[in-house]
């Protein structure tokens, strides 16, 4: 691969990057408003209506077919899989909870797993015998069965009846399938019985295996309690602990009493020493707590009695005699002789009582301390004993429950009853439930309208083009200099336009009949007037001197820029203007083909040669005396380098000052993906952008205008080129580049393939010797032609719908 090919491929890769950027920008800015939705609906109304009718007819035909050949009936029966009375009884029997718990564990039926049960009832393994009897596949039978929890009453209640299963089966032959449905009910009842017996047998085996373990555990716990009693020499540690606690409380009471008595005796002794207590008072003190340590002897008792008698006689004498009388003096003398003796006796009695109480208090406290030491070991023993006793109680209860559960299992195994019950007999409805004609027709109407509308909108989004010049104005917000109308004769793809001189279209021989001639004249007149209006718009943009060098470009190939350049040049000469038309598209030149000129020497020859006078490369047309043309010339290896050369800039400056020409029109390559137009536009006085209707994606002209703005080129305005819908797949009028362009989305060939035709013709030869083509390659060509023909027919049908 040489350098020029690498350069072209690099340009193509850059174009793909621009395509991806533009695509993301397009996606972010393509939100539809209400106005655009209405426009799309009106624009695609035929396609939407056709799609809606087609989809509706398909739905009606499908409904009729199913109604005739595919009627479906529904057969049902209802099973009760749990006994509600047994459940209520189990809830009332609180004493049997542990037994029932063991039974549930043994049965492995603590909770009913309804989803698993339903899957089991629909399993092929369970249904294979029934399916074999009726000569159908188990998988087919399983697919026809639907099982739901609860019955018809579920619709009117909030509580779901989990013990009820409603079995539904789809049938195509009610008379035959009623027997199948009945057999299915019997299969389910038999399966429930087999499952019950297996579950009970497995449960009984489980209980039998558990009994030795529980019995051994109970015996071990009993032995452990016996050893505990022997080791600690007690029967019930809790009872002995209570006795010790009670004795401790009694000792606490005795200690309190002794301490109180000591306080009282000390107070008596103090009163005796202070002389505050007399004989009678001492007698009273002794009488209050007699027998608790304060005791006196018989002699002391005699002295006390004598002292009391003297005190009484003295008191009586004082009432009869005067204080100094001999009787009173004798009585007082005798009293004073007895009192010292009695006082000593009192103190000795109190001291003996105090000593006795202190000894008793010390002894009682020692007893309490011993009890406390004994009680500290009891809680641990009690805890250990209670733990063993609790384990023994649980083990005993578990063993008793297991024995009871085993007896229940043996009784249930002996029974032959079926645990499930059919509470609603098998029945197949006489009326088919599918198809529901009213429902399906309604659905077809809604679906066809929605889907038809979606098809119309999708078609419009994939064909995201400008549909009329008004949309170009609203979208681009740039001045529209004029419009090129559609000319049917110039869009006939069967014509060889390379043999037609576009500068002499009015005298062209492309018309074959008088009717076509009249149509062509009408179209040509409209085209001619449109070009004159465009000239008027350009003229009044500014003064003629300031708008002399004009570049004409488009966003992508095949938008008709070369065609417009030729016709505009012809129109300017009709107004007496001298025009120089330069073909600067040296990659894919078209001007010489459309004007019937040779391309032996042209712009590329001038820029690469030694000739300094560009007028030596001008070719004139006899049919247009005021029009001079410079063709592109031979294809150079690097067009961008030539167009950016100093010689090109000097040439443009000279042409701008040359008085021989009023206008210099430069036909440039497409703006996007190539650097050529960007280089020339900065040298010109203005740039005109061709925007094709029903062809170019809306996002591309926007990107072109952004590039023009970034380059700060003088943008004059937009020319719209109308292309009819039925020919928008043919890529303009047929005189353009001929390379499709899809720019990453929409229709047509991708951008990379579009620009590959700019690569050297030696690598793109179209006329190969058939002898050099392999059989495989020839097959690929035939396949491609077949696909192209199919796509052409499809496009024609779509165009007919949208017409």
């Amino acid at each position: 691969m040489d350098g020029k090919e690498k350069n072209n491929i690099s340009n193509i890769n850059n174009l793909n990057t621009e395509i991806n950027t533009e695509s993301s920008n397009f996606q972010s800015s393509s939100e539809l408003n209400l106005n655009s939705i209405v426009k799309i609906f009106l624009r695609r109304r035929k396609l939407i209506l056709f799609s809606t009718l087609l989809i509706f007819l398909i739905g009606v035909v499908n409904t009729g077919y199913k109604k005739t050949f595919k009627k479906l009936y529904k057969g049902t029966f209802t099973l009760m899989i749990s006994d509600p009375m047994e459940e209520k009884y189990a809830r009332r029997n609180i004493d049997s909870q542990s037994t029932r718990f063991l039974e549930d564990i043994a049965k492995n039926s603590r909770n009913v797993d309804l989803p698993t049960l339903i899957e089991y009832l629909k399993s092929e393994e369970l249904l294979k015998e029934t399916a074999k009897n009726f000569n159908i596949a188990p998988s087919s039978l399983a697919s026809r069965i639907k099982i739901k929890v609860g019955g018809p009453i579920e619709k009117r209640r909030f509580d779901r009846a989990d013990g009820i299963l409603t079995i539904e089966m789809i049938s195509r032959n009610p008379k035959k399938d009623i027997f199948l449905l009945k057999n299915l009910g019997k299969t389910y009842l038999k399966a429930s019985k087999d499952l019950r017996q297996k579950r009970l047998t497995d449960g009984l085996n489980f209980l039998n295996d558990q009994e030795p373990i529980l019995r051994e555990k109970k015996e071990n716990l009993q032995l452990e309690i016996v050893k505990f009693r022997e080791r600690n020499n007690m029967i019930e540690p809790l009872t002995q602990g209570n006795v010790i606690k009670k004795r401790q409380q009694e000792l606490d009471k005795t200690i309190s009493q002794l301490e109180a008595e000591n306080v009282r005796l000390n107070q008596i002794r103090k009163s005796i020493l202070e002389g505050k207590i007399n004989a009678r008072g001492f007698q009273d003190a002794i009488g209050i707590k007699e027998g608790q340590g304060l005791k006196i002897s018989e002699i002391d008792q005699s002295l006390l009695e004598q002292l009391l008698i003297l005190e009484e006689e003295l008191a009586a004498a004082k009432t009869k005699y005067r204080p100094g009388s001999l009787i009173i003096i004798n009585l007082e003398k005798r009293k004073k002789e007895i009192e010292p003796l009695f006082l000593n006796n009192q103190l000795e009695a109190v001291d003996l009582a105090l000593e006795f109480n202190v000894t008793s208090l010390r002894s009682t406290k020692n007893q309490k301390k011993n009890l406390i030491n004994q009680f500290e070991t009891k809680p641990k023993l009690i805890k250990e004993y209670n733990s063993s006793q609790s384990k023994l109680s649980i083990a005993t209860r578990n063993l008793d429950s297991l024995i009871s559960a085993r007896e229940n299992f043996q009784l249930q195994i002996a029974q032959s009853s079926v645990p499930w019950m059919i509470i609603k007999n098998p029945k197949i409805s006489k009326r088919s439930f599918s198809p529901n004609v009213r429902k399906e027709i309604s659905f077809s109407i809604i679906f066809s309208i929605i889907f038809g509308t979606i098809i119309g909108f999708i078609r419009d989004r994939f064909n995201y083009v400008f549909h009329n010049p008004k949309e170009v104005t609203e979208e681009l917000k740039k001045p529209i200099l004029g419009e090129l109308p559609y000319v049917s004769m110039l869009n006939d793809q069967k014509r060889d336009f390379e043999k037609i001189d576009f500068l002499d279209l009015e005298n062209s021989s492309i018309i074959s009949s008088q009717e076509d001639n009249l149509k062509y004249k009408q179209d040509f007149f409209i085209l001619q007037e449109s070009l004159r209006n465009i000239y008027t718009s350009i003229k009044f943009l500014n003064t003629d001197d300031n708008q002399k060098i004009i570049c004409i470009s488009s966003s992508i190939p095949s938008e008709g820029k070369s065609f417009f350049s030729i016709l505009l040049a012809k129109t300017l000469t009709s107004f007496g203007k001298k025009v120089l038309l330069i073909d600067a598209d040296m990659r894919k030149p078209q001007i010489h083909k459309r004007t019937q000129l040779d391309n032996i020497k042209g712009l590329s020859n001038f820029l690469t040669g030694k000739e300094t006078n560009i007028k030596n490369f001008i070719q004139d047309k006899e049919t247009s005396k005021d029009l001079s043309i410079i063709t592109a010339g031979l294809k150079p290896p690097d067009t961008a380098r030539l167009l950016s050369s100093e010689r090109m800039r000097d040439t443009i400056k000279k042409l701008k000052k040359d008085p021989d020409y009023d206008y210099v029109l430069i036909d440039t390559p497409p703006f996007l993906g190539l650097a050529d137009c960007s280089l020339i536009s900065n040298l010109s006085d203005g740039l005109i952008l061709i925007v094709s209707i029903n062809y170019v994606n809306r996002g591309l002209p926007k990107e072109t205008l952004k590039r023009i703005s970034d380059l700060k080129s003088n943008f004059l305005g937009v020319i719209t080129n109308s292309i009819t819908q039925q020919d928008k797949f043919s890529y303009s009028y047929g005189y353009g580049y001929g390379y499709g362009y899809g720019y990453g989305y929409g229709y047509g060939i991708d951008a990379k393939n579009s620009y590959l035709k700019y690569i050297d013709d030696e690598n793109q030869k179209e006329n190969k010797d058939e002898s050099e083509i392999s059989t495989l390659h020839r097959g690929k060509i035939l396949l491609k032609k077949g696909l192209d023909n199919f796509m052409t027919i499809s496009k024609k049908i779509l165009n007919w719908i949208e017409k």
Side-chain angles (χ1 to χ4, degrees), residues 144-162:
R144 294 165 56 184
I145 296 173
K146 180 180 179 182
I147 302 176
K148 63 180 182 179
V149 180
I153 196 172
E154 294 295 325
K155 299 179 181 179
R156 302 186 295 273
R157 295 185 57 183
F158 294 102
D159 297 332
R160 190 176 70 166
D162 291 339

Side-chain angles (χ1 to χ4, degrees), residues 430-478:
K430 296 181 179 179
R431 296 182 59 183
S432 62
F433 75 94
S434 178
N436 188 329
V437 177
R438 180 182 298 178
K439 182 178 179 180
E440 294 210 4
I441 292 297
S442 301
F443 176 78
S444 297
I445 293 174
I446 297 172
F447 180 79
S448 60
I449 293 174
I450 294 174
F451 200 74
T453 305
I454 291 174
I455 290 175
F457 275 72
I458 291 176
R459 171 66 180 134
D460 194 85
R461 300 314 289 171
F462 273 95
N463 187 23
Y464 192 64
V465 296
F466 295 107
H467 300 91
N468 53 65
K470 184 179 179 182
E471 291 184 359
V472 178
T473 304
E474 294 175 351
E475 194 81 15
L476 301 183
K477 296 180 175 55
K478 295 293 182 180

Side-chain angles (χ1 to χ4, degrees), residues 127-140:
L127 300 174
K128 66 179 182 181
E129 185 176 350
T130 302
K132 181 180 179 181
N133 294 336
F134 288 85
N135 197 24
I136 56 178
S139 58
S140 175

Side-chain angles (χ1 to χ4, degrees), residues 589-611:
Q590 296 292 321
I591 297 296
H592 70 283
K593 296 180 181 179
R594 307 300 180 229
T595 57
Q596 302 297 304
L597 296 174
D598 65 73
N599 194 31
I600 297 175
K601 65 176 185 177
L603 181 61
S604 63
N605 304 89
F606 169 71
L607 294 176
T608 57
K610 297 181 180 180
E611 181 65 48

Side-chain angles (χ1 to χ4, degrees), residues 358 534 757:
V358 169
I534 292 172
K757 291 193 176 182

